[in-house]
Amino acid sequence: MNTRNKLQAVLFDVDGTLADTEQDGHRLAFNAAFQEFGLNWNWDIDLYGKLLQITGGKERILHYIENYVPALLDRNDLKEWIIGLHKAKTMYFESLMETGRIPLRPGVARLIQELRQEKVKLAIATTTTMENVIALLKSTLGEESIDWFDVIGAGDIVPKKKPAPDIYHWVLNQLKLTPQQCIAIEDSENGLRSALAANLTTLITVSSYTRSQDFNGAVAVLSDLGESFKPFTKIDGMTFNNQWVDYQMLNKMASITS
Ligand code: XBP
Ligand code: MG
């Protein structure tokens, strides 16, 4: 193994990767905000799946308006109005997270602890709003877990959201690491395109909305990170002699692909 390329950091996506937050988290928060604003919009499970092609909540609302309620485009305060609506959505999402109803996905907590023990840096590269990341980490791993991450890149910190590579470039820059020293873990095609465009070896753990997407270019596509008592299922990509994703497997991935 080329020790020069030893794994230095793991860059985690949030929505769909750390936790399955979309269907019963973000979607419900959007609908609650719509209700608060007196809108008769309802993003059902199917429609929300289609809208997920557009990353970012504010961008998703604008896309919905353009395609489903174009009369609203005449509002001259549209941008501010969307910002207000999205702020309400973020508050609903935070309250939902406080209930603790959305758990981390299999293997996530275990892998995070293992990487900390191995002194591998942890980072987050996500499209979602920072408040959402904090709320999810607090409710699942506890308040102190926020400090376990060396860098958290979230939301509007970069102008172009995934599939643009900007958020990964930003995080790598903050970490002062090269892509060859890192692994990205993603759940969606948009996330994969973003990470690959930043030259990152990318592992996919599919989530409920993303399992039939195109993951060409991923080092491996797995059902989840797996646990010793509940191994992952390999869907595509390279085979590693592991049944759950651990430090050693990620290190192998980083050295093989760099
Ligand atoms: C996640 C997203 C986010 C969330 C909502 O994509 O697209 O927009 O759905 O978050 P990824 P906000 O997992 O690829 O980062 O409403 O806070 O934008
Ligand atoms: Mg995701």
Side-chain angles (χ1 to χ4, degrees), residues 13-17 22 26 30 48 52 54-60 86 89-90 125-130 132 155 161-162 186-188 190-191:
D13 168 51
V14 173
D15 296 307
T17 301
E22 293 293 4
H26 290 295
F30 278 112
Y48 193 66
L52 276 175
I54 309 299
T55 58
K58 294 187 285 292
E59 293 81 352
R60 193 168 298 143
H86 185 255
K89 178 259 164 178
T90 300
T126 178
T127 310
T128 210
T129 304
M130 182 64 97
N132 301 343
K161 294 186 176 166
K162 298 174 189 176
E186 276 284 354
D187 73 303
S188 71
N190 276 327

Coordinates of all heavy atoms in Angstrom, one line a residue, residues 13-17 22 26 30 48 52 54-60 86 89-90 125-130 132 155 161-162 186-188 190-191, ligand 1:
D13 N -21.6 13.5 2.8 CA -22.8 14.2 2.5 C -23.8 14.0 3.7 O -23.5 13.1 4.6 CB -23.4 13.5 1.2 CG -24.8 14.0 0.9 OD1 -25.1 15.2 0.9 OD2 -25.7 13.1 0.7
V14 N -24.8 14.8 3.8 CA -25.7 14.7 4.9 C -27.0 14.0 4.5 O -27.3 12.8 4.9 CB -26.0 16.1 5.5 CG1 -27.1 16.0 6.6 CG2 -24.7 16.6 6.1
D15 N -27.9 14.7 3.7 CA -29.2 14.2 3.4 C -29.1 12.9 2.6 O -28.5 12.9 1.5 CB -30.0 15.2 2.6 CG -30.2 16.4 3.5 OD1 -30.8 16.3 4.6 OD2 -29.9 17.6 3.1
G16 N -29.7 11.8 3.1 CA -29.6 10.5 2.4 C -28.4 9.7 2.8 O -28.4 8.5 2.6
T17 N -27.3 10.4 3.2 CA -26.1 9.6 3.5 C -26.0 9.4 5.0 O -25.8 8.3 5.5 CB -24.9 10.4 3.0 OG1 -25.0 10.5 1.6 CG2 -23.6 9.6 3.3
E22 N -35.0 12.9 3.7 CA -35.8 13.6 2.7 C -37.3 13.4 2.8 O -38.0 14.4 3.1 CB -35.3 13.3 1.3 CG -33.9 13.8 0.9 CD -33.8 15.3 0.8 OE1 -34.7 16.0 1.1 OE2 -32.7 15.7 0.4
H26 N -37.3 16.6 5.4 CA -37.4 17.9 4.6 C -38.8 18.0 3.9 O -39.4 19.1 3.9 CB -36.3 17.9 3.5 CG -34.9 18.1 4.0 ND1 -34.5 19.2 4.6 CD2 -33.9 17.2 4.1 CE1 -33.3 19.1 5.0 NE2 -32.9 17.9 4.7
F30 N -41.2 21.2 4.4 CA -41.6 22.1 3.3 C -43.2 22.2 3.4 O -43.7 23.3 3.3 CB -41.3 21.5 1.9 CG -39.9 21.7 1.5 CD1 -38.9 20.7 1.4 CD2 -39.5 23.0 1.1 CE1 -37.6 20.9 1.0 CE2 -38.2 23.3 0.7 CZ -37.2 22.2 0.6
Y48 N -42.2 14.9 -4.6 CA -40.9 15.3 -4.0 C -39.7 14.5 -4.6 O -38.6 15.1 -4.8 CB -41.0 15.0 -2.5 CG -39.9 15.7 -1.7 CD1 -39.8 17.1 -1.7 CD2 -38.9 15.0 -1.1 CE1 -38.8 17.8 -1.1 CE2 -37.8 15.6 -0.4 CZ -37.8 17.0 -0.4 OH -36.7 17.7 0.2
L52 N -36.5 16.5 -6.2 CA -35.1 16.3 -5.6 C -34.0 16.4 -6.6 O -32.9 16.6 -6.3 CB -35.0 14.9 -4.9 CG -35.5 14.8 -3.5 CD1 -35.5 13.4 -3.0 CD2 -34.7 15.8 -2.6
I54 N -33.5 18.9 -8.2 CA -33.0 20.2 -8.0 C -32.5 20.3 -6.5 O -33.3 20.1 -5.6 CB -34.2 21.3 -8.1 CG1 -34.9 21.1 -9.4 CG2 -33.6 22.7 -7.9 CD1 -34.0 21.3 -10.7
T55 N -31.2 20.4 -6.4 CA -30.7 20.5 -5.0 C -30.8 21.9 -4.4 O -30.8 22.9 -5.1 CB -29.2 20.1 -5.0 OG1 -28.5 21.0 -5.8 CG2 -28.9 18.7 -5.5
G56 N -31.0 21.9 -3.1 CA -31.2 23.2 -2.4 C -32.6 23.5 -2.3 O -33.4 23.5 -3.2
G57 N -33.1 23.8 -1.0 CA -34.5 24.0 -0.8 C -35.0 25.3 -1.5 O -36.1 25.2 -2.1
K58 N -34.3 26.4 -1.5 CA -34.8 27.6 -2.1 C -34.9 27.4 -3.6 O -35.8 27.8 -4.3 CB -33.9 28.8 -1.8 CG -33.9 29.2 -0.3 CD -33.1 30.5 0.0 CE -31.6 30.3 -0.1 NZ -31.1 29.5 1.0
E59 N -33.8 26.7 -4.2 CA -33.8 26.5 -5.6 C -35.0 25.5 -6.0 O -35.6 25.7 -7.0 CB -32.5 25.8 -5.9 CG -31.2 26.7 -5.8 CD -30.7 26.8 -4.4 OE1 -31.3 26.3 -3.4 OE2 -29.6 27.4 -4.2
R60 N -35.3 24.6 -5.1 CA -36.3 23.6 -5.3 C -37.7 24.3 -5.3 O -38.6 24.0 -6.2 CB -36.3 22.5 -4.2 CG -37.2 21.3 -4.5 CD -36.8 20.2 -3.5 NE -35.4 19.8 -3.7 CZ -34.6 19.4 -2.7 NH1 -35.1 19.4 -1.4 NH2 -33.4 19.1 -2.9
H86 N -38.6 29.6 3.0 CA -37.5 28.6 3.3 C -37.1 28.7 4.7 O -36.7 27.7 5.4 CB -36.4 28.8 2.3 CG -35.3 27.7 2.4 ND1 -34.1 27.9 3.0 CD2 -35.4 26.4 2.1 CE1 -33.4 26.8 3.0 NE2 -34.2 25.8 2.5
K89 N -39.4 26.8 6.7 CA -39.2 25.4 6.4 C -38.0 24.9 7.3 O -38.1 23.8 7.9 CB -38.9 25.1 4.9 CG -38.6 23.7 4.6 CD -37.1 23.5 4.4 CE -36.7 22.1 4.4 NZ -35.2 21.9 4.2
T90 N -37.0 25.7 7.4 CA -35.8 25.3 8.2 C -36.2 25.1 9.7 O -35.8 24.2 10.3 CB -34.7 26.3 8.0 OG1 -34.3 26.4 6.7 CG2 -33.4 25.9 8.9
A125 N -19.9 17.9 3.5 CA -20.0 18.7 2.3 C -21.5 18.5 1.8 O -21.8 17.4 1.3 CB -19.1 18.2 1.2
T126 N -22.3 19.4 2.1 CA -23.7 19.3 1.8 C -24.4 20.5 1.2 O -23.9 21.6 1.4 CB -24.5 18.9 3.1 OG1 -25.9 18.8 2.9 CG2 -24.3 20.0 4.2
T127 N -25.5 20.3 0.6 CA -26.3 21.3 0.0 C -27.2 21.9 1.1 O -27.7 23.0 0.9 CB -27.2 20.7 -1.1 OG1 -26.3 20.0 -1.9 CG2 -27.9 21.7 -1.9
T128 N -27.5 21.1 2.1 CA -28.5 21.5 3.0 C -28.0 22.7 3.9 O -26.8 23.0 4.0 CB -28.9 20.3 3.9 OG1 -30.2 20.4 4.3 CG2 -28.0 20.2 5.1
T129 N -29.0 23.4 4.5 CA -28.7 24.6 5.4 C -27.9 24.1 6.6 O -28.2 23.1 7.2 CB -30.0 25.2 5.7 OG1 -30.7 25.5 4.5 CG2 -29.9 26.5 6.6
M130 N -27.0 25.0 7.1 CA -26.1 24.6 8.3 C -27.0 24.3 9.5 O -26.7 23.3 10.2 CB -25.2 25.8 8.6 CG -24.3 25.6 9.7 SD -23.1 24.3 9.4 CE -21.7 25.2 8.9
N132 N -29.7 22.8 9.6 CA -30.2 21.4 9.5 C -29.1 20.4 9.9 O -29.4 19.4 10.5 CB -30.6 21.1 8.1 CG -31.7 22.0 7.6 OD1 -32.4 22.7 8.4 ND2 -31.9 22.1 6.3
G155 N -24.9 24.5 2.6 CA -25.8 25.5 2.1 C -25.2 26.5 1.2 O -24.5 26.2 0.2
K161 N -24.6 25.0 -6.1 CA -24.8 23.7 -5.3 C -24.5 22.5 -6.1 O -24.3 22.6 -7.3 CB -26.2 23.7 -4.7 CG -26.4 24.9 -3.7 CD -27.7 24.9 -2.9 CE -27.6 26.0 -1.9 NZ -28.8 26.4 -1.3
K162 N -24.5 21.3 -5.5 CA -24.3 20.1 -6.2 C -25.4 20.0 -7.4 O -26.5 20.5 -7.2 CB -24.5 18.9 -5.3 CG -23.5 18.8 -4.1 CD -23.9 17.7 -3.2 CE -23.0 17.7 -1.9 NZ -23.4 16.7 -0.9
E186 N -21.5 9.5 -0.5 CA -22.7 10.2 -1.0 C -23.8 9.2 -1.2 O -23.6 8.0 -1.2 CB -22.3 10.8 -2.4 CG -21.7 12.1 -2.4 CD -22.7 13.3 -2.1 OE1 -23.9 13.0 -2.1 OE2 -22.2 14.4 -2.0
D187 N -25.0 9.7 -1.5 CA -26.1 8.8 -1.7 C -26.8 9.1 -3.0 O -27.7 8.3 -3.4 CB -27.2 8.9 -0.6 CG -28.0 10.2 -0.7 OD1 -27.3 11.3 -0.7 OD2 -29.2 10.2 -0.9
S188 N -26.5 10.2 -3.7 CA -27.3 10.6 -4.9 C -26.4 10.8 -6.1 O -25.2 11.0 -6.0 CB -28.0 11.8 -4.6 OG -27.1 12.9 -4.5
N190 N -26.6 13.4 -8.1 CA -26.1 14.8 -8.0 C -24.9 14.9 -7.1 O -23.9 15.6 -7.4 CB -27.2 15.7 -7.5 CG -28.2 16.2 -8.6 OD1 -27.8 16.3 -9.7 ND2 -29.4 16.3 -8.2
G191 N -24.9 14.2 -6.0 CA -23.8 14.2 -5.0 C -22.5 13.6 -5.7 O -21.4 14.1 -5.5
Ligands
XBP1 C1 -29.7 17.7 -0.2 C2 -30.6 18.7 -0.7 C3 -31.2 19.7 0.3 C4 -32.3 19.3 1.1 C5 -33.0 20.5 1.7 O1 -28.9 17.3 -1.2 O2 -30.9 18.8 -1.8 O3 -31.7 20.7 -0.5 O4 -33.3 18.6 0.4 O5 -32.1 21.4 2.3 P1 -27.5 16.6 -0.9 P2 -32.4 23.0 2.4 O6 -27.7 15.5 0.0 O7 -26.9 16.1 -2.2 O8 -26.6 17.7 -0.2 O9 -33.9 23.2 2.3 O10 -31.8 23.4 3.7 O11 -31.7 23.6 1.2

